[in-house]
Amino acid sequence: MAHAEAHHDDHHHPGFFTRWFCSTNHKDIGTLYLWVAMFAAIVGGLMSWYIRAELAEPGLQLISNDAEGKQFYNVLVTGHGFIMVFFVVMPAMIGGFGNWFVPLMIGAPDMAFPRMNNISFWLLAAGFALLLTAAFIDGGPGTGWTVYPPLSSIDFHPGRAVDFGILSLHVAGASSILGAINFIVTIFNMRAPGMTIHRMPLFVWAILVTAFLLLLALPVLAGGLTMLLTDRNFGTAFFNPAEGGDPVLWQHLFWFFGHPEVYIIIIPAFGIISQIVSTFSKKPVFGYLGMAYAMAAIGVVGFVVWAHHMYTIGFNVDTRAYFTAATMVIAVPTGVKIFSWLATMWGGSIKFEVPMMYALAFIFLFVVGGVTGVTLANASADLVFHDTYYVVAHFHYVMGLAAILAMFAGWYYWIGKMTGRRYPEGLARVQFWFFVIGVNVLFFPQHFSGLAGMPRRIPDYPDAYAPFNYISSVGALITAIGTLLFFVVLWRTYTSSEKVEANQWGEGATTLEWTVASPAPWHTHEELPDMTGKAPAE
Amino acid sequence: MLKRLFTLVPAAVAAMFSGAGAALAEGVVAKSTPWQMWLQEPMSPSAEMVHDLNVLLMWIEVAIVIFVLAIMAYVMVRFSEKNNPTPSKTTHHTGLEVAWTAIPILILVAIAIPSLKTLYFADHTPDADMTLKVKGNQWYWSYGYPDHGDFEFDSVYVPEEELKPGQPRLLTVDTPVVLPVDTNIRLLLTSNDVIHNWAIPSLAVKLDTTPGRTNETWTRINKPGDYYGMCSELCGVNHGFMPIHIKAVSKEEFAKWVVGAKEEYASNDTDKQPVRLAKAQVR
Amino acid sequence: MASTRTKNRRAAMALSVVVAAMVGLAFASVPLYKLFCQVTGYGGTPKIKVAAGDSASTRQIEVRFDANVNKGMPWHFKPAQVHVTVKLGEPKLAFYRARNDSDETITGTAVFNVTPYKVGPYFSKIDCFCFTEQTLKPGQEVDMPVEFFVDPEIYTDPNTKDVHAITLSYTFYRSEPEDSDKKAETAARPVDGKSNIKG
């Protein structure tokens, strides 16, 4: 962590409570986000391991064969989804790495609104607490993270569980909206002299695009959530057909947010991978402008494809045709990115350090997840895939594999900068292999289960689906070991006496964070670095 | 010897990849088999088109993945630090950048054409010979036959303890839906409570049942047999326990069944004397 | 030249306006969604018209009738005829029969749509019981009319000319009556069509 090394700071050190509960320091806040993300990952992971343990064999082994047991299963499924999306990936990549490295990379001393930054963090923590509360009261929300009414309405989910879930998302959403404003203003207004928009590192571009997506998508979720809340508690009928409402309206509002949300998840990962591939190939990223604008294009087009999550609700065939075409369009800028990373490595001088291993795994596994997305983009193909394990396999490949691998890549890449300590090399490689093999054994067979017709969100399945479910659960076990190993690596890193130098990675590490000491001093760039005259990124 | 290999191996692979179980004396059994890695065998005109589309998609996607893997493998060896100590400075190549934008576009167009053809075919109800009404409930399906006397019945999940030998777990209901083969069937779907989804993979039918709204699609079953599906939209605690079982029979058998069913599931219309207190006023 | 602090504040204000606008858009989607479906007929929303045009034609189409009651609505509700064949442009009258099978007075409202969805703009309901609430005493049975026509344009639109059968579907929901003394009303005076939002 950013131990405020005494010899560099002019400032009086705040006490523990002030430093960690009233922080206005982007590094400390980034650290807080990373800790919450790791804690949430354990909670979300435990939920998923429970699910996989239940699904390892046909029949109900862990949950009781009654309404209470089955509701608990649905709550696990719901909780796992919400936690991983809202309280693991987003906090780690945007709140954690974003906060830590955007100011460092653009030469700013801190974020534009340091106090609002702190509010964002504590709102997130509160949102997480509310979600956990929701899971434990009145039977919990057994609606899936998609919360479709009428199942989520008061008639079919009486009690306060869904309401607490709604509140949790409102609070977490507010956290992200404020964070998005903070990032946009910081990136636009606080770049060091000479750091033009087209000289910013691609990670900063990624956070900028992500921040705009958050700004535009989260308020729509907030609107929809408020409507659901008033339908449940104040007699409105937005989604109640009995009084002129329409359950499908919720789906439009949710997915208008929900699709950009998945790009919010992956675009920061793209940014991290660009930094790492460039560093360990000792080459600048191929086609910088193409990479930056590809992310922007993915973000923009990501707003007009939402109904590919709704292909089977029964809407006009021409509209389905449009969404099929629009969704497939996104494959083009995404392909540009994949090929650009490969072209970055081509001609490079590649060092296979652990962050680079994770980045390579990301590139390959993201392509695997991406091509199944092309299948799902087709409304006619979706007739056999909607709500099956094929969809589960697809989104876990792009989120559960790719995004998480990018998070690990970023952790290994930047942990030296954040703590000044070196991670244990051998153990890190073992951890890599356990995790990567584990998640592939876990999720690849799910493609087959889905192709064969196994639906999602069921605690028990017809016997024919048993073999691949068993293998998938074995994969979950291997992944769990890989996760445990990560925490061992974490602990060994923190307790290591090996220090790292300011630039741990050598000539390939060309961004500004490598010009400050490791660990980064509590205050950096108090004198703005002068980037004028520096060679343009292009 | 080699000839046998070339017929046996593809047959074995096809068996692993195919869907329908062995055709029993009374017809097809359309559900997943263990270790099945591919779609269930298509048993309707829509399913055949969807199946072919997916074969095309799979080959394109496998090719893309192998292509990327090959480049990565080459790069990791050829341009490792050891083999290439001095990195190049190339960050542009217009030709390459155009190619990797244009070629994916062409591939996507090649996919879109059969994809949209399949979409429009599966959507458009051809002149239907009969209608089946499907209603989703928590947690069972009800079926109605408006063209055959408008009788209705519920189709309820049979729990494991009550299964007879040979009945598949989680797919068995007390009263299957009986439908005739080689008949265009209009499907009208709605729900009584929350959103469910009526899905039969081998027929490529999958449509949400939403309360307050009726959805329409169609199917045509090619062969007699048993067709299975499961609810495909989370609908509460027993979402995984409301299966669909269609018994497809010849047209003659269906006509016979209708006669018996009309009596057994007689609609309530004949029970009470109509009491008309107000008559419609036409403007 | 404004200070960084001022520039930051201004930028944050502008972005907050964007956030507020998006929330507003989410809420605006409610009436916009309804309006869009009513105007375009999207999602099988029939038109609510007052009179048929003079453009009657000799072409015919089958119109089918479907009836549902929601859970918790103890009415027997069925179409009086499963289907009729109508000439395009010609107004036709059809009936639904509803009977209150419970022992309390119950009021219901009906929501509706047509399938296939794309025929929505061409199916017009001139008069319909669904425009107002219906109240039935215990055991009371009524015939409820719906007068409609199918626009001949349905066969000139390349999108819809392949449709030979339209299904009109109603679902009755239990509702609280506006006036507890309300008697059974089957004559419809088209007020603001209580059409379901479909899209």
Side-chain angles (χ1 to χ4, degrees), chain B residues 124 127 131 133 135 138 146-147 150 152 186 188 190-193 211-216 268-269 272-283, chain C residues 50 64 66-71 76 78 82 93 95 97 99 101 111 113 115-117 127 140-141 143 145 162 164-165 167 169 173 186 196 198-199:
Chain B
H124 165 62
D127 289 338
T131 301
K133 186 98 184 265
K135 253 186 149 179
Q138 283 182 322
D147 291 336
D150 205 16
E152 294 177 342
R186 173 186 298 109
L188 293 178
T190 188
S191 165
N192 239 348
D193 39 45
R213 139 186 268 183
T214 297
N215 277 338
E216 177 181 316
N268 293 329
D269 246 338
K272 292 194 172 150
Q273 284 284 54
V275 176
R276 294 182 184 205
L277 289 190
K279 211 170 147 59
Q281 287 173 39
V282 182
R283 265 178 5 113
Chain C
V50 178
R64 304 178 54 91
D66 175 63
N68 303 288
V69 288
N70 199 52
K71 184 194 274 204
H76 172 90
K78 291 275 176 193
V82 177
L93 185 66
F95 289 90
R97 190 164 292 155
R99 186 180 69 231
D101 281 343
V111 296
N113 67 288
T115 66
Y117 291 140
D127 217 344
Q140 182 181 6
E141 184 181 51
D143 275 356
D162 57 351
H164 301 140
T167 304
S169 178
Y173 279 86
T186 48
N196 193 15
K198 304 266 188 259

Coordinates of all heavy atoms in Angstrom, one line a residue, chain B residues 124 127 131 133 135 138 146-147 150 152 186 188 190-193 211-216 268-269 272-283, chain C residues 50 64 66-71 76 78 82 93 95 97 99 101 111 113 115-117 127 140-141 143 145 162 164-165 167 169 173 186 196 198-199:
Chain B
H124 N -42.6 -16.1 -39.5 CA -43.8 -16.0 -40.2 C -44.7 -17.2 -40.1 O -44.3 -18.3 -40.6 CB -43.5 -15.7 -41.7 CG -44.7 -15.9 -42.6 ND1 -45.9 -15.1 -42.5 CD2 -44.9 -16.7 -43.6 CE1 -46.7 -15.5 -43.4 NE2 -46.2 -16.5 -44.1
D127 N -49.9 -20.6 -43.4 CA -51.4 -20.9 -43.1 C -51.5 -22.1 -42.1 O -51.0 -23.2 -42.4 CB -52.1 -21.2 -44.4 CG -52.2 -19.9 -45.2 OD1 -52.2 -18.8 -44.6 OD2 -52.3 -20.0 -46.5
T131 N -54.6 -24.5 -34.1 CA -54.0 -23.6 -33.1 C -53.8 -24.3 -31.7 O -54.7 -25.0 -31.3 CB -54.9 -22.3 -32.9 OG1 -55.1 -21.7 -34.1 CG2 -54.3 -21.3 -31.9
K133 N -53.1 -23.3 -27.7 CA -52.9 -22.2 -26.8 C -52.1 -22.7 -25.6 O -52.3 -23.8 -25.1 CB -54.4 -21.9 -26.3 CG -54.6 -20.8 -25.4 CD -55.1 -19.6 -26.0 CE -55.2 -18.6 -24.8 NZ -56.5 -18.6 -24.2
K135 N -50.4 -21.6 -21.9 CA -50.5 -20.6 -20.8 C -49.5 -21.0 -19.7 O -49.5 -22.2 -19.3 CB -51.8 -20.6 -20.1 CG -52.7 -19.4 -20.5 CD -53.9 -19.4 -19.7 CE -54.3 -18.0 -19.5 NZ -55.6 -17.8 -18.8
Q138 N -47.3 -20.5 -12.5 CA -46.4 -21.0 -11.5 C -46.9 -22.2 -10.9 O -47.9 -22.2 -10.2 CB -46.2 -19.9 -10.4 CG -45.3 -18.8 -10.8 CD -45.1 -17.8 -9.7 OE1 -46.0 -17.5 -8.9 NE2 -43.9 -17.2 -9.6
P146 N -58.4 -24.3 -29.1 CA -59.6 -23.6 -29.5 C -60.3 -24.1 -30.8 O -61.5 -23.9 -30.9 CB -59.0 -22.2 -29.8 CG -57.5 -22.3 -29.9 CD -57.2 -23.5 -29.1
D147 N -59.5 -24.7 -31.7 CA -60.1 -25.2 -32.9 C -60.8 -26.6 -32.8 O -61.3 -27.1 -33.8 CB -59.1 -25.3 -34.0 CG -58.6 -23.9 -34.5 OD1 -59.3 -23.0 -34.2 OD2 -57.5 -23.8 -35.0
D150 N -62.3 -26.2 -28.0 CA -61.9 -25.3 -26.9 C -61.7 -25.9 -25.6 O -62.1 -25.3 -24.5 CB -62.8 -24.1 -26.9 CG -62.1 -22.9 -26.3 OD1 -60.8 -22.9 -26.2 OD2 -62.7 -21.9 -25.8
E152 N -59.5 -27.5 -22.4 CA -58.2 -27.1 -21.8 C -57.8 -28.1 -20.8 O -58.6 -28.7 -20.1 CB -58.3 -25.7 -21.2 CG -58.5 -24.6 -22.1 CD -58.7 -23.2 -21.4 OE1 -59.0 -23.2 -20.2 OE2 -58.6 -22.2 -22.1
R186 N -50.3 -23.1 -35.2 CA -50.1 -21.7 -34.7 C -50.1 -21.9 -33.2 O -50.9 -22.6 -32.6 CB -51.3 -20.8 -35.1 CG -51.3 -19.5 -34.4 CD -52.6 -18.6 -34.7 NE -52.7 -18.4 -36.1 CZ -53.6 -18.9 -36.9 NH1 -54.5 -19.8 -36.4 NH2 -53.7 -18.6 -38.2
L188 N -50.2 -19.8 -29.6 CA -50.5 -18.6 -28.9 C -50.1 -18.8 -27.5 O -50.5 -19.7 -26.8 CB -52.0 -18.3 -29.0 CG -52.6 -18.0 -30.3 CD1 -54.1 -17.8 -30.2 CD2 -52.0 -16.8 -31.0
T190 N -49.3 -17.1 -23.6 CA -49.5 -16.1 -22.6 C -49.2 -16.7 -21.2 O -49.0 -17.8 -21.1 CB -50.9 -15.4 -22.7 OG1 -50.9 -14.3 -21.8 CG2 -52.0 -16.4 -22.2
S191 N -49.3 -15.8 -20.2 CA -49.0 -16.3 -18.9 C -50.1 -15.8 -17.9 O -50.8 -14.8 -18.1 CB -47.7 -15.7 -18.4 OG -47.6 -15.9 -17.0
N192 N -50.3 -16.6 -16.9 CA -51.3 -16.2 -15.9 C -50.7 -15.4 -14.7 O -51.5 -14.9 -13.9 CB -51.8 -17.6 -15.3 CG -53.2 -17.7 -15.4 OD1 -53.9 -16.8 -15.8 ND2 -53.7 -18.9 -15.2
D193 N -49.4 -15.4 -14.6 CA -48.8 -14.7 -13.5 C -47.5 -14.0 -13.8 O -47.6 -12.8 -14.1 CB -48.6 -15.7 -12.3 CG -48.1 -17.1 -12.8 OD1 -47.2 -17.2 -13.6 OD2 -48.7 -18.1 -12.3
P211 N -47.6 -12.1 -19.0 CA -49.0 -11.8 -18.6 C -49.5 -10.5 -19.2 O -48.8 -9.6 -19.4 CB -48.9 -11.6 -17.0 CG -47.5 -11.2 -16.8 CD -46.6 -11.9 -17.8
G212 N -50.8 -10.6 -19.6 CA -51.4 -9.4 -20.3 C -51.1 -9.3 -21.7 O -51.4 -8.3 -22.4
R213 N -50.4 -10.2 -22.3 CA -50.0 -10.1 -23.7 C -50.0 -11.5 -24.3 O -49.6 -12.5 -23.7 CB -48.7 -9.5 -23.8 CG -47.7 -10.0 -24.8 CD -46.4 -9.4 -24.7 NE -46.4 -8.2 -25.6 CZ -45.3 -7.4 -25.8 NH1 -44.3 -7.6 -25.2 NH2 -45.4 -6.4 -26.7
T214 N -50.4 -11.6 -25.6 CA -50.4 -12.9 -26.3 C -49.3 -12.8 -27.3 O -49.3 -11.9 -28.2 CB -51.7 -13.2 -26.9 OG1 -52.7 -13.3 -25.9 CG2 -51.7 -14.5 -27.7
N215 N -48.4 -13.8 -27.3 CA -47.4 -13.9 -28.3 C -47.8 -15.0 -29.3 O -48.4 -16.0 -28.9 CB -46.0 -14.3 -27.7 CG -45.3 -13.1 -27.1 OD1 -45.5 -12.0 -27.6 ND2 -44.4 -13.3 -26.2
E216 N -47.3 -14.9 -30.6 CA -47.7 -15.9 -31.5 C -46.4 -16.4 -32.2 O -45.5 -15.6 -32.6 CB -48.6 -15.3 -32.6 CG -49.0 -16.3 -33.7 CD -49.9 -15.7 -34.8 OE1 -50.9 -15.0 -34.4 OE2 -49.6 -15.9 -36.0
N268 N -66.3 -25.4 -19.7 CA -67.4 -25.1 -18.8 C -68.6 -24.5 -19.5 O -69.6 -24.3 -18.8 CB -66.9 -24.2 -17.7 CG -65.9 -24.8 -16.8 OD1 -65.9 -26.0 -16.6 ND2 -64.9 -24.1 -16.3
D269 N -68.4 -24.3 -20.8 CA -69.5 -23.6 -21.4 C -70.9 -24.3 -21.3 O -71.9 -23.6 -21.2 CB -69.2 -23.5 -22.9 CG -69.0 -22.1 -23.3 OD1 -69.4 -21.2 -22.6 OD2 -68.3 -21.9 -24.4
K272 N -73.4 -24.2 -17.2 CA -74.4 -23.3 -16.6 C -75.3 -22.7 -17.7 O -75.0 -22.5 -18.8 CB -73.7 -22.1 -15.8 CG -73.0 -22.6 -14.6 CD -72.7 -21.4 -13.7 CE -72.1 -21.9 -12.4 NZ -71.1 -21.0 -11.8
Q273 N -76.5 -22.3 -17.2 CA -77.5 -21.6 -18.1 C -77.0 -20.2 -18.3 O -76.7 -19.5 -17.3 CB -78.9 -21.6 -17.5 CG -79.6 -22.9 -17.6 CD -80.1 -23.1 -19.0 OE1 -79.3 -23.1 -19.9 NE2 -81.4 -23.4 -19.1
P274 N -76.9 -19.8 -19.5 CA -76.5 -18.4 -19.7 C -77.5 -17.4 -19.1 O -78.7 -17.6 -19.4 CB -76.3 -18.2 -21.2 CG -77.1 -19.4 -21.8 CD -77.1 -20.4 -20.8
V275 N -77.1 -16.5 -18.3 CA -78.0 -15.5 -17.8 C -77.6 -14.1 -18.4 O -76.6 -13.6 -18.0 CB -77.9 -15.4 -16.2 CG1 -78.8 -14.3 -15.7 CG2 -78.3 -16.8 -15.6
R276 N -78.4 -13.7 -19.2 CA -78.1 -12.4 -19.9 C -78.8 -11.2 -19.3 O -80.0 -11.1 -19.4 CB -78.4 -12.4 -21.4 CG -77.6 -13.5 -22.1 CD -77.9 -13.5 -23.5 NE -77.1 -14.6 -24.2 CZ -76.8 -14.6 -25.4 NH1 -77.1 -13.6 -26.2 NH2 -76.1 -15.6 -25.9
L277 N -78.1 -10.4 -18.6 CA -78.7 -9.3 -18.0 C -78.5 -8.0 -18.8 O -79.2 -7.1 -18.7 CB -78.0 -9.0 -16.6 CG -78.4 -10.0 -15.5 CD1 -77.9 -9.5 -14.2 CD2 -79.9 -10.2 -15.5
A278 N -77.5 -8.0 -19.7 CA -77.3 -6.9 -20.5 C -76.9 -7.4 -21.9 O -76.1 -8.3 -22.0 CB -76.3 -6.0 -19.9
K279 N -77.5 -6.8 -22.9 CA -77.1 -7.2 -24.2 C -76.2 -6.1 -24.8 O -76.3 -5.0 -24.5 CB -78.4 -7.4 -25.0 CG -78.1 -8.5 -26.1 CD -79.4 -8.9 -26.7 CE -79.2 -9.3 -28.2 NZ -78.4 -10.3 -28.6
A280 N -75.4 -6.6 -25.7 CA -74.5 -5.6 -26.4 C -75.3 -4.6 -27.1 O -76.3 -4.9 -27.8 CB -73.6 -6.4 -27.3
Q281 N -74.9 -3.4 -27.0 CA -75.5 -2.3 -27.8 C -74.5 -1.9 -28.9 O -73.4 -1.5 -28.6 CB -75.8 -1.1 -26.9 CG -77.0 -1.3 -26.0 CD -77.1 -0.2 -25.1 OE1 -76.9 1.0 -25.5 NE2 -77.4 -0.4 -23.8
V282 N -74.9 -2.0 -30.1 CA -74.0 -1.6 -31.2 C -74.3 -0.2 -31.5 O -75.5 0.2 -31.5 CB -74.2 -2.5 -32.4 CG1 -73.3 -2.1 -33.5 CG2 -74.1 -4.0 -32.0
R283 N -73.3 0.5 -31.8 CA -73.5 2.0 -32.1 C -74.3 2.1 -33.4 O -74.0 1.4 -34.3 CB -72.1 2.6 -32.2 CG -71.7 3.3 -31.0 CD -70.3 3.9 -31.1 NE -69.8 3.7 -32.5 CZ -69.7 4.8 -33.3 NH1 -69.9 6.0 -32.9 NH2 -69.2 4.6 -34.5
Chain C
V50 N -62.6 5.5 -34.9 CA -64.1 5.8 -34.7 C -64.9 5.2 -35.8 O -66.0 4.7 -35.6 CB -64.3 7.3 -34.6 CG1 -65.8 7.6 -34.4 CG2 -63.5 7.8 -33.4
R64 N -59.3 -14.3 -35.7 CA -59.6 -15.3 -34.6 C -59.7 -14.5 -33.3 O -59.1 -13.5 -33.1 CB -58.4 -16.3 -34.6 CG -58.2 -17.0 -35.9 CD -57.0 -17.9 -35.8 NE -57.2 -18.8 -34.7 CZ -57.7 -20.0 -34.8 NH1 -58.2 -20.4 -35.9 NH2 -57.9 -20.8 -33.7
D66 N -59.3 -14.7 -29.0 CA -58.7 -15.5 -27.9 C -59.1 -14.7 -26.6 O -59.2 -13.5 -26.6 CB -57.2 -15.5 -28.1 CG -56.5 -16.1 -27.0 OD1 -56.7 -17.3 -26.7 OD2 -55.7 -15.4 -26.3
A67 N -59.3 -15.5 -25.6 CA -59.7 -14.9 -24.3 C -58.9 -15.5 -23.1 O -58.7 -16.7 -23.1 CB -61.2 -15.1 -24.1
N68 N -58.5 -14.7 -22.2 CA -57.8 -15.1 -21.0 C -58.2 -14.4 -19.8 O -58.7 -13.2 -19.9 CB -56.3 -14.9 -21.1 CG -55.6 -15.5 -22.3 OD1 -55.5 -16.7 -22.4 ND2 -55.4 -14.7 -23.3
V69 N -58.2 -15.0 -18.6 CA -58.3 -14.3 -17.4 C -57.1 -14.5 -16.6 O -56.4 -15.5 -16.7 CB -59.5 -14.8 -16.6 CG1 -60.8 -14.4 -17.2 CG2 -59.5 -16.3 -16.4
N70 N -56.7 -13.5 -15.9 CA -55.5 -13.6 -15.1 C -55.8 -14.3 -13.8 O -56.9 -14.5 -13.3 CB -54.9 -12.2 -14.7 CG -53.5 -12.3 -14.3 OD1 -52.7 -12.9 -15.0 ND2 -53.1 -11.8 -13.2
K71 N -54.7 -14.9 -13.2 CA -54.9 -15.5 -11.9 C -55.6 -14.6 -10.9 O -55.3 -13.4 -10.9 CB -53.4 -15.8 -11.4 CG -53.4 -16.6 -10.2 CD -52.0 -16.5 -9.6 CE -51.1 -17.6 -10.2 NZ -50.0 -18.0 -9.3
H76 N -65.4 -16.6 -15.9 CA -65.3 -17.5 -17.1 C -65.4 -16.5 -18.3 O -66.4 -15.8 -18.4 CB -66.5 -18.5 -17.1 CG -66.6 -19.2 -18.3 ND1 -66.0 -20.5 -18.5 CD2 -67.3 -19.0 -19.5 CE1 -66.3 -20.9 -19.7 NE2 -67.1 -20.1 -20.3
K78 N -64.8 -16.2 -22.5 CA -64.5 -17.0 -23.7 C -65.1 -16.2 -24.9 O -66.0 -15.4 -24.8 CB -65.3 -18.3 -23.7 CG -64.7 -19.3 -22.7 CD -63.5 -20.0 -23.3 CE -63.0 -21.0 -22.3 NZ -61.7 -21.5 -22.6
V82 N -65.0 -18.7 -32.3 CA -63.5 -18.9 -32.4 C -62.9 -18.0 -33.5 O -61.8 -17.5 -33.3 CB -63.2 -20.4 -32.6 CG1 -61.7 -20.5 -32.7 CG2 -63.7 -21.2 -31.4
L93 N -68.9 -7.2 -36.2 CA -69.2 -7.3 -34.8 C -68.9 -8.7 -34.3 O -69.3 -9.6 -34.9 CB -70.7 -6.9 -34.6 CG -71.1 -6.8 -33.1 CD1 -70.4 -5.6 -32.5 CD2 -72.6 -6.6 -33.1
F95 N -68.5 -11.1 -30.4 CA -68.8 -11.0 -29.0 C -67.9 -11.9 -28.2 O -67.4 -12.9 -28.6 CB -70.3 -11.6 -28.8 CG -71.3 -10.6 -29.4 CD1 -71.7 -10.7 -30.7 CD2 -71.8 -9.6 -28.5 CE1 -72.7 -9.8 -31.2 CE2 -72.7 -8.7 -29.0 CZ -73.2 -8.8 -30.3
R97 N -68.1 -13.6 -24.2 CA -69.0 -13.9 -23.2 C -68.2 -14.0 -21.9 O -67.2 -14.7 -21.8 CB -69.6 -15.3 -23.5 CG -70.8 -15.7 -22.6 CD -71.5 -16.8 -23.3 NE -72.2 -16.4 -24.5 CZ -72.5 -17.2 -25.5 NH1 -72.2 -18.5 -25.4 NH2 -73.2 -16.7 -26.5
R99 N -68.7 -14.5 -17.6 CA -69.6 -14.9 -16.5 C -68.8 -14.8 -15.2 O -67.7 -15.4 -15.1 CB -70.1 -16.3 -16.8 CG -71.1 -16.8 -15.8 CD -71.6 -18.2 -16.1 NE -70.6 -19.1 -15.9 CZ -70.2 -20.1 -16.8 NH1 -70.8 -20.1 -17.9 NH2 -69.2 -20.9 -16.4
D101 N -68.1 -16.3 -12.0 CA -68.3 -17.6 -11.3 C -68.2 -17.5 -9.8 O -68.2 -18.5 -9.1 CB -67.4 -18.6 -11.9 CG -67.9 -19.1 -13.2 OD1 -69.1 -18.9 -13.5 OD2 -67.0 -19.7 -13.9
V111 N -57.1 -6.0 -21.0 CA -56.0 -5.6 -21.9 C -56.0 -6.5 -23.1 O -56.5 -7.6 -23.1 CB -54.6 -5.6 -21.1 CG1 -54.7 -4.6 -20.0 CG2 -54.3 -7.0 -20.6
N113 N -54.1 -7.4 -27.3 CA -53.2 -7.1 -28.4 C -53.6 -8.0 -29.5 O -54.4 -8.9 -29.4 CB -51.7 -7.3 -28.0 CG -51.4 -8.8 -27.7 OD1 -51.8 -9.3 -26.7 ND2 -50.6 -9.4 -28.6
T115 N -52.1 -10.4 -32.8 CA -50.9 -11.1 -33.4 C -51.3 -11.5 -34.8 O -52.5 -11.8 -35.1 CB -50.5 -12.3 -32.6 OG1 -51.5 -13.3 -32.7 CG2 -50.2 -12.0 -31.1
P116 N -50.3 -11.6 -35.7 CA -48.9 -11.2 -35.5 C -48.8 -9.7 -35.3 O -49.6 -9.0 -35.8 CB -48.3 -11.7 -36.8 CG -49.3 -11.9 -37.8 CD -50.6 -12.2 -37.0
Y117 N -47.8 -9.3 -34.6 CA -47.7 -7.9 -34.1 C -47.7 -7.0 -35.3 O -48.2 -5.8 -35.2 CB -46.4 -7.7 -33.4 CG -46.3 -8.4 -32.1 CD1 -45.2 -9.0 -31.6 CD2 -47.5 -8.4 -31.3 CE1 -45.2 -9.6 -30.4 CE2 -47.4 -9.1 -30.0 CZ -46.3 -9.7 -29.6 OH -46.3 -10.3 -28.4
D127 N -65.3 0.0 -31.6 CA -66.1 0.0 -30.4 C -65.7 -1.3 -29.6 O -65.6 -2.3 -30.2 CB -67.5 0.0 -30.7 CG -68.3 0.8 -29.7 OD1 -67.7 1.2 -28.6 OD2 -69.4 1.2 -30.0
Q140 N -73.6 -13.4 -12.7 CA -74.0 -12.7 -13.9 C -73.2 -13.0 -15.1 O -72.0 -13.1 -15.0 CB -73.9 -11.2 -13.6 CG -74.4 -10.3 -14.7 CD -74.3 -8.8 -14.3 OE1 -73.7 -8.4 -13.3 NE2 -74.8 -7.9 -15.2
E141 N -73.9 -13.1 -16.2 CA -73.2 -13.4 -17.5 C -73.6 -12.3 -18.5 O -74.8 -12.0 -18.6 CB -73.5 -14.8 -18.0 CG -72.8 -15.1 -19.3 CD -73.1 -16.5 -19.8 OE1 -74.3 -16.8 -20.0 OE2 -72.2 -17.3 -20.0
D143 N -72.8 -10.7 -22.7 CA -72.1 -10.8 -23.9 C -71.5 -9.4 -24.2 O -72.2 -8.4 -24.1 CB -73.1 -11.1 -25.1 CG -73.4 -12.5 -25.2 OD1 -72.7 -13.3 -24.5 OD2 -74.2 -12.9 -26.0
P145 N -69.5 -6.9 -26.7 CA -69.2 -6.7 -28.1 C -67.9 -6.1 -28.4 O -67.4 -5.3 -27.6 CB -70.3 -5.7 -28.6 CG -70.5 -4.8 -27.4 CD -70.2 -5.7 -26.1
D162 N -48.6 -11.1 -46.4 CA -48.5 -12.6 -46.3 C -49.4 -13.1 -45.1 O -49.4 -14.3 -44.9 CB -47.1 -13.1 -46.1 CG -46.4 -12.4 -44.9 OD1 -47.0 -11.5 -44.3 OD2 -45.3 -12.8 -44.6
H164 N -52.7 -14.1 -43.3 CA -54.0 -14.5 -43.7 C -54.9 -14.7 -42.5 O -56.1 -15.0 -42.6 CB -54.0 -15.8 -44.5 CG -53.2 -15.7 -45.8 ND1 -52.4 -16.6 -46.3 CD2 -53.1 -14.6 -46.6 CE1 -51.8 -16.2 -47.4 NE2 -52.2 -15.0 -47.6
A165 N -54.3 -14.7 -41.3 CA -55.1 -14.8 -40.1 C -54.6 -13.9 -39.0 O -53.4 -13.9 -38.7 CB -55.0 -16.3 -39.6
T167 N -55.1 -12.8 -34.9 CA -55.7 -13.2 -33.7 C -55.9 -12.0 -32.8 O -54.9 -11.3 -32.5 CB -54.9 -14.2 -33.0 OG1 -54.7 -15.3 -33.9 CG2 -55.5 -14.7 -31.7
S169 N -56.6 -10.9 -29.0 CA -56.5 -11.6 -27.7 C -56.8 -10.6 -26.6 O -56.2 -9.5 -26.5 CB -55.1 -12.2 -27.6 OG -55.0 -12.8 -26.3
Y173 N -58.4 -8.6 -16.2 CA -57.8 -8.5 -14.9 C -58.8 -8.0 -13.9 O -59.7 -7.2 -14.3 CB -56.6 -7.5 -14.9 CG -55.3 -8.0 -15.4 CD1 -55.1 -8.0 -16.7 CD2 -54.4 -8.6 -14.5 CE1 -53.9 -8.6 -17.2 CE2 -53.2 -9.1 -15.0 CZ -53.0 -9.1 -16.4 OH -51.8 -9.6 -16.8
T186 N -72.0 -2.7 -20.9 CA -71.4 -3.3 -22.1 C -71.3 -2.4 -23.3 O -70.6 -2.6 -24.2 CB -72.2 -4.6 -22.5 OG1 -73.5 -4.3 -22.5 CG2 -71.9 -5.7 -21.4
N196 N -53.5 -1.4 -23.5 CA -52.3 -1.8 -22.8 C -51.1 -1.3 -23.5 O -51.2 -1.1 -24.7 CB -52.3 -3.4 -22.8 CG -51.2 -3.9 -21.9 OD1 -50.7 -3.1 -21.0 ND2 -50.9 -5.1 -22.1
K198 N -48.0 -1.7 -25.3 CA -47.3 -2.9 -25.9 C -46.2 -2.3 -26.7 O -46.3 -1.3 -27.3 CB -48.2 -3.7 -26.8 CG -49.4 -4.2 -26.1 CD -49.3 -5.6 -25.5 CE -50.5 -6.2 -25.0 NZ -50.6 -6.1 -23.6
G199 N -45.2 -3.0 -26.8 CA -44.1 -2.4 -27.6 C -43.1 -3.5 -28.1 O -43.0 -4.5 -27.5

